Amino acid sequence: MYTVLAGGVGAARFLRGLTQVVPAEEIVAIVNVGDDLTRLGLRICPDLDSITYWLAGVVHPEQQWGRAQESHVVAGELERFGHEPWFTLGDRDLATHLHRSLRLSQGASLSTVTAEVTRAFGLDLRLLPATDDPVETRITTADGRDLHFQEYWVRERGRPEVRGVRLQGAATARPAPGVVEAIVDADVVLVAPSNPVVSIGTILEVPGIREALATTPAPVVGVSPIVGGEVVRGMAHRLLPAVGAEVSARGVASHYREWLDGWVLDERDAEQASEVRSLGLSCAVTDTMMDEVTVAADLARTCLHLAGVAS
Ligand code: FO1
């Protein structure tokens, strides 16, 4: 079993590469749900949906979230009723949220509904929400406000200075069924190049997951989301200082070092390899910019090789 800790787009690209290298049926992705929110009475799970749409080949090519060939008839009509349009739901995407919300209201768990959604999109790998319990990532801003992650990132365009990040609801959340087993019984655990604070960090906040990572006999190998001192995508550079981590490939490795065994750096950060090794980690250097699926597949092979697992 190939287990992957996953956020949104970076994880989707990485998983697409991994599916070229090992059978999709043997891949389990544990996905961040801290970005999830309820809008218009509908439950929206951006990371689960982005990965699903990417792997099904139906993601919006420019946005990299939501559906390709999308229309916004419903969103336009909702403005008539005065609904704030800051978080836009496209018509095709709405079908996913409608199905999910209906099934949740019938008492199905998020894991069960996620399996239904991935099956409907023809995926062979398993996506597991980190938890089925209600959690949400909250951002404390320097001007003293407490925002939902999407209010910070979409409504306020990631502009406020961040003082703190927490996963609300984490104290009583339990890992979703199969999550701890997927880590403890894995042949390898891979950490996608996702945001270390609001993707990987929030997965680790669910009690029991960090402990499973620290104790699993499987090698744990990650890919740096920081390349040349900058984020490939998103806002990790604004959030890492809030958790006391340095914005560098080496800094993220150090942030993960309690449970990490190996770290893959981009070629642009090759000079940091010796510092990563001095943390007690094994290290490989390769092209991590996954614009092409062939690069993503090679990156997946490099991770498996570093972990000592055959592909
Ligand atoms: N991102 C935006 O910048 N604006 C939006 O209106 C928006 C809507 C949206 C709806 C469904 C969905 O699954 C994702 C959506 N996103 C939107 C992306 C999302 O906010 C983030 O990029 C992720 O949560 C960060 O990984």
Side-chain angles (χ1 to χ4, degrees):
M1 177 168 37
Y2 303 88
T3 299
V4 180
L5 302 189
V9 177
R13 289 171 171 233
F14 182 71
L15 285 165
R16 192 171 60 143
L18 188 62
T19 58
Q20 307 286 306
V21 173
V22 299
E25 298 77 13
E26 295 176 27
I27 301 174
V28 181
I30 299 172
V31 182
N32 167 49
V33 288
D35 295 16
D36 296 9
L37 73 166
T38 301
R39 294 276 297 162
L40 302 159
L42 301 177
R43 194 66 183 155
I44 300 151
C45 302
D47 284 353
L48 287 166
D49 291 348
S50 295
I51 293 174
T52 302
Y53 296 162
W54 253 91
L55 295 179
V58 299
V59 76
H60 191 289
E62 280 93 44
Q63 288 172 179
Q64 306 203 17
W65 49 266
R67 295 285 305 272
Q69 296 170 347
E70 187 58 291
S71 56
H72 294 92
V73 176
V74 176
E77 288 298 318
L78 283 164
E79 286 191 44
R80 188 191 295 280
F81 301 108
H83 291 289
E84 264 189 278
W86 65 267
F87 198 80
T88 312
L89 301 176
D91 298 328
R92 287 174 194 273
D93 192 28
L94 268 170
T96 304
H97 311 315
L98 283 166
H99 173 75
R100 177 187 296 123
S101 306
L102 171 69
R103 296 285 293 121
L104 291 173
S105 76
Q106 292 171 338
S109 67
L110 182 59
S111 320
T112 299
V113 185
T114 300
E116 292 170 2
V117 172
T118 52
R119 200 176 314 122
F121 279 93
L123 304 192
D124 293 322
L125 88 178
R126 250 192 318 153
L127 297 189
L128 298 179
T131 178
D132 282 341
D133 296 321
V135 289
E136 62 183 49
T137 300
R138 305 292 306 185
I139 305 285
T140 313
T141 61
D143 58 11
R145 290 177 302 150
D146 177 42
L147 304 177
H148 185 287
F149 169 75
Q150 300 292 355
E151 292 174 321
Y152 160 74
W153 177 237
V154 177
R155 194 184 67 199
E156 309 221 357
R157 298 175 191 276
R159 285 189 190 123
E161 196 186 323
V162 176
R163 181 159 296 157
V165 179
R166 70 181 201 285
L167 187 68
Q168 185 168 289
T172 52
R174 292 147 304 166
V179 165
V180 168
E181 293 78 357
I183 296 171
V184 172
D185 299 336
D187 294 296
V188 61
V189 179
L190 302 171
V191 186
S194 298
N195 189 305
V197 184
V198 291
S199 296
I200 306 302
T202 43
I203 294 173
L204 298 176
E205 284 297 300
V206 177
I209 296 188
R210 192 188 299 269
E211 294 75 3
L213 271 176
T215 55
T216 181
V220 182
V221 167
V223 179
S224 176
I226 305 287
V227 172
E230 290 177 10
V231 282
V232 178
R233 193 188 150 81
M235 75 311 283
H237 57 304
R238 314 234 11 208
L239 302 182
L240 280 165
V243 298
E246 183 185 284
V247 185
S248 67
R250 160 194 67 205
V252 180
S254 174
H255 187 59
Y256 288 167
R257 70 182 177 281
E258 275 171 35
W259 44 266
L260 193 69
D261 300 309
W263 194 232
V264 178
L265 300 176
D266 190 80
E267 285 151 356
R268 269 158 277 192
D269 296 310
E271 81 287 350
Q272 294 180 31
S274 58
E275 290 169 78
V276 170
R277 291 193 183 101
S278 69
L279 293 168
L281 305 174
S282 58
C283 186
V285 177
T286 190
D287 183 3
T288 66
M289 302 303 282
M290 297 179 282
D291 295 326
E292 302 291 330
V293 68
T294 49
V295 175
D298 285 345
L299 175 59
R301 271 189 214 98
T302 300
C303 291
L304 296 177
H305 187 254
L306 190 65
V309 178
S311 57

